[in-house]
PDB file of all heavy atoms in Angstrom:
ATOM      1  N   HIS A 140     -42.983  -7.766 -50.090  1.00  0.00           N
ATOM      2  CA  HIS A 140     -42.297  -6.473 -49.678  1.00  0.00           C
ATOM      3  C   HIS A 140     -41.612  -6.755 -48.348  1.00  0.00           C
ATOM      4  O   HIS A 140     -42.035  -7.329 -47.387  1.00  0.00           O
ATOM      5  CB  HIS A 140     -43.198  -5.396 -49.434  1.00  0.00           C
ATOM      6  CG  HIS A 140     -43.680  -4.831 -50.748  1.00  0.00           C
ATOM      7  ND1 HIS A 140     -45.112  -4.888 -51.277  1.00  0.00           N
ATOM      8  CD2 HIS A 140     -43.048  -4.101 -51.785  1.00  0.00           C
ATOM      9  CE1 HIS A 140     -45.120  -4.315 -52.475  1.00  0.00           C
ATOM     10  NE2 HIS A 140     -43.896  -3.772 -52.740  1.00  0.00           N
ATOM     11  N   VAL A 141     -40.344  -6.265 -48.193  1.00  0.00           N
ATOM     12  CA  VAL A 141     -39.577  -6.398 -46.986  1.00  0.00           C
ATOM     13  C   VAL A 141     -40.228  -5.597 -45.940  1.00  0.00           C
ATOM     14  O   VAL A 141     -40.365  -6.052 -44.680  1.00  0.00           O
ATOM     15  CB  VAL A 141     -38.207  -5.973 -47.217  1.00  0.00           C
ATOM     16  CG1 VAL A 141     -37.358  -5.849 -45.871  1.00  0.00           C
ATOM     17  CG2 VAL A 141     -37.395  -6.853 -48.208  1.00  0.00           C
ATOM     18  N   TYR A 142     -40.822  -4.392 -46.079  1.00  0.00           N
ATOM     19  CA  TYR A 142     -41.383  -3.517 -45.212  1.00  0.00           C
ATOM     20  C   TYR A 142     -42.899  -3.335 -45.555  1.00  0.00           C
ATOM     21  O   TYR A 142     -43.264  -3.161 -46.780  1.00  0.00           O
ATOM     22  CB  TYR A 142     -40.804  -2.141 -45.122  1.00  0.00           C
ATOM     23  CG  TYR A 142     -39.337  -2.335 -44.583  1.00  0.00           C
ATOM     24  CD1 TYR A 142     -38.274  -2.067 -45.409  1.00  0.00           C
ATOM     25  CD2 TYR A 142     -39.121  -2.502 -43.223  1.00  0.00           C
ATOM     26  CE1 TYR A 142     -36.971  -2.113 -44.844  1.00  0.00           C
ATOM     27  CE2 TYR A 142     -37.832  -2.767 -42.658  1.00  0.00           C
ATOM     28  CZ  TYR A 142     -36.718  -2.485 -43.566  1.00  0.00           C
ATOM     29  OH  TYR A 142     -35.572  -2.593 -42.951  1.00  0.00           O
ATOM     30  N   ASP A 143     -43.800  -3.542 -44.572  1.00  0.00           N
ATOM     31  CA  ASP A 143     -45.204  -3.287 -44.741  1.00  0.00           C
ATOM     32  C   ASP A 143     -45.510  -1.749 -44.924  1.00  0.00           C
ATOM     33  O   ASP A 143     -46.491  -1.363 -45.574  1.00  0.00           O
ATOM     34  CB  ASP A 143     -46.047  -3.836 -43.588  1.00  0.00           C
ATOM     35  CG  ASP A 143     -45.926  -5.311 -43.416  1.00  0.00           C
ATOM     36  OD1 ASP A 143     -46.429  -6.062 -44.384  1.00  0.00           O
ATOM     37  OD2 ASP A 143     -45.288  -5.815 -42.505  1.00  0.00           O
ATOM     38  N   ALA A 144     -44.572  -0.971 -44.363  1.00  0.00           N
ATOM     39  CA  ALA A 144     -44.862   0.471 -44.449  1.00  0.00           C
ATOM     40  C   ALA A 144     -43.396   1.103 -44.306  1.00  0.00           C
ATOM     41  O   ALA A 144     -42.588   0.600 -43.505  1.00  0.00           O
ATOM     42  CB  ALA A 144     -45.851   1.023 -43.517  1.00  0.00           C
ATOM     43  N   VAL A 145     -43.174   2.300 -44.841  1.00  0.00           N
ATOM     44  CA  VAL A 145     -42.056   3.125 -44.621  1.00  0.00           C
ATOM     45  C   VAL A 145     -42.571   4.473 -44.138  1.00  0.00           C
ATOM     46  O   VAL A 145     -43.318   5.090 -44.813  1.00  0.00           O
ATOM     47  CB  VAL A 145     -41.208   3.199 -45.884  1.00  0.00           C
ATOM     48  CG1 VAL A 145     -40.044   4.135 -45.662  1.00  0.00           C
ATOM     49  CG2 VAL A 145     -40.637   1.872 -46.391  1.00  0.00           C
ATOM     50  N   VAL A 146     -41.952   4.945 -43.129  1.00  0.00           N
ATOM     51  CA  VAL A 146     -42.337   6.303 -42.616  1.00  0.00           C
ATOM     52  C   VAL A 146     -41.117   7.122 -42.643  1.00  0.00           C
ATOM     53  O   VAL A 146     -40.066   6.783 -42.295  1.00  0.00           O
ATOM     54  CB  VAL A 146     -42.736   6.197 -41.054  1.00  0.00           C
ATOM     55  CG1 VAL A 146     -43.016   7.643 -40.641  1.00  0.00           C
ATOM     56  CG2 VAL A 146     -44.011   5.349 -41.005  1.00  0.00           C
ATOM     57  N   VAL A 147     -41.261   8.385 -43.304  1.00  0.00           N
ATOM     58  CA  VAL A 147     -40.225   9.281 -43.487  1.00  0.00           C
ATOM     59  C   VAL A 147     -40.322  10.560 -42.581  1.00  0.00           C
ATOM     60  O   VAL A 147     -41.370  11.291 -42.756  1.00  0.00           O
ATOM     61  CB  VAL A 147     -40.104   9.748 -45.036  1.00  0.00           C
ATOM     62  CG1 VAL A 147     -38.994  10.740 -45.174  1.00  0.00           C
ATOM     63  CG2 VAL A 147     -39.904   8.413 -45.817  1.00  0.00           C
ATOM     64  N   ASP A 148     -39.388  10.785 -41.774  1.00  0.00           N
ATOM     65  CA  ASP A 148     -39.222  12.113 -41.102  1.00  0.00           C
ATOM     66  C   ASP A 148     -38.678  13.023 -42.074  1.00  0.00           C
ATOM     67  O   ASP A 148     -37.492  13.222 -42.196  1.00  0.00           O
ATOM     68  CB  ASP A 148     -38.380  11.921 -39.788  1.00  0.00           C
ATOM     69  CG  ASP A 148     -38.232  13.276 -39.084  1.00  0.00           C
ATOM     70  OD1 ASP A 148     -39.132  14.127 -39.300  1.00  0.00           O
ATOM     71  OD2 ASP A 148     -37.229  13.388 -38.273  1.00  0.00           O
TER      72      ASP A 148
END
Side-chain angles (χ1 to χ4, degrees):
H140 284 113
V141 172
Y142 293 108
D143 296 294
V145 174
V146 178
V147 179
D148 178 20

